[in-house]
Amino acid sequence: MDALLVFLLLLVPLLLWTSSTFVFYFKKCFYVAYMMILAAIAIPLSILKSGGRDIENMRVIRALVRHVKYFLGLRFDVSGLEHLQTEGPYVIISNHQSSLDVLGLMEVLPDRCTMVAKKELVYAGTVGIVCWLGGIVFINRKKTRDAKSVMAEAAKTMLDDQIRLWVFPEGTRNQRGDLLPFKKGAFHLAVQAQAPIIPIVFSSYSNFYLRKEKQFNSGTITLKILPKIETKGMTSDNVADLSDKSYDLMRSVFLDISGSAPVTQSNGPSLHH
């Protein structure tokens, strides 16, 4: 048994040094397992702090998660933090590339802010429980009517409780080197609440993280927070234009900070929901 332990202790560093595929799976497994452990720690702390489900528990989650980036060899180059000093409710929209987005989210998450996430996340063990405790708004992406109802309720909650919501308008993870057309939910939410939209753009992860090629190296992520887009006076008739304007702005910034060449692409109306 001792010989096997010594062998493994020698083998793991060797594989970390020589095999990019092993590094990829090692980092992925470590990330998932460590986040589950941190969630297990956050659950009792959140209950002690707030007594149950409360957006203030996001402070606990944020404090516990912020150091994880160092274990993965990641750094964030953040600009525009002053735009998050906006008073009152607002809707943050950002592009969505992988589960690593959570690290960037926690890097800049303002107070009294939580997320909109897919309903399946609530079943993700300790992570799902702590997400529920943090006041995350869960939507069923497969049932449009249910999703719209939840977003309408979220708009009311934003105003009543003076909270902020973080939404990924692409609706799914995307590592294609560009932005997917935006779904309209975030923009209906902002217009219903008459709350401003604050776009946040993550640079492409392709210089350090390639899922299909099984590469997960160290890297720096540029995170750019853009000035708010006002929605006061807008109605549902303005949602499509608001979505297109936000898409064009964020896509331009994404291509710029990612060093990508622009390709003609629109925020196709047929892909809006």
Side-chain angles (χ1 to χ4, degrees), residues 132-255:
W132 182 83
L133 286 169
I136 285 180
V137 177
F138 297 102
I139 60 171
N140 189 339
R141 297 182 300 179
K142 296 177 182 177
K143 294 183 179 180
T144 305
R145 184 178 298 177
D146 290 351
K148 286 182 177 178
S149 175
V150 169
M151 292 299 251
E153 186 177 332
K156 183 178 184 302
T157 302
M158 281 182 67
L159 296 175
D160 292 345
D161 298 342
Q162 293 291 291
I163 67 171
R164 296 84 181 252
L165 283 174
W166 189 308
V167 186
F168 297 104
E170 290 173 287
T172 189
R173 298 175 190 176
N174 166 40
Q175 273 198 295
R176 300 176 187 173
D178 208 332
L179 300 191
L180 294 176
F182 287 172
K183 298 179 183 295
K184 291 184 180 178
F187 306 97
H188 279 294
L189 172 65
V191 168
Q192 286 176 21
Q194 293 288 282
I197 291 172
I198 299 181
I200 296 182
V201 185
F202 293 74
S203 61
S204 172
Y205 297 171
S206 61
N207 63 326
F208 68 89
Y209 179 79
L210 295 168
R211 186 169 54 85
K212 289 184 178 179
E213 289 80 0
K214 304 295 183 289
Q215 291 185 9
F216 192 166
N217 303 315
S218 298
T220 299
I221 300 162
T222 300
L223 203 160
K224 192 163 186 176
I225 304 164
L226 307 181
K228 66 181 178 182
I229 301 171
E230 289 289 358
T231 65
K232 284 187 177 178
M234 290 188 180
T235 68
S236 57
D237 293 336
N238 303 114
V239 165
D241 288 341
L242 180 62
S243 173
D244 290 342
K245 175 184 177 181
S246 302
Y247 176 86
D248 291 340
L249 175 64
M250 291 177 64
R251 182 171 183 264
S252 174
V253 172
F254 173 78
L255 294 174

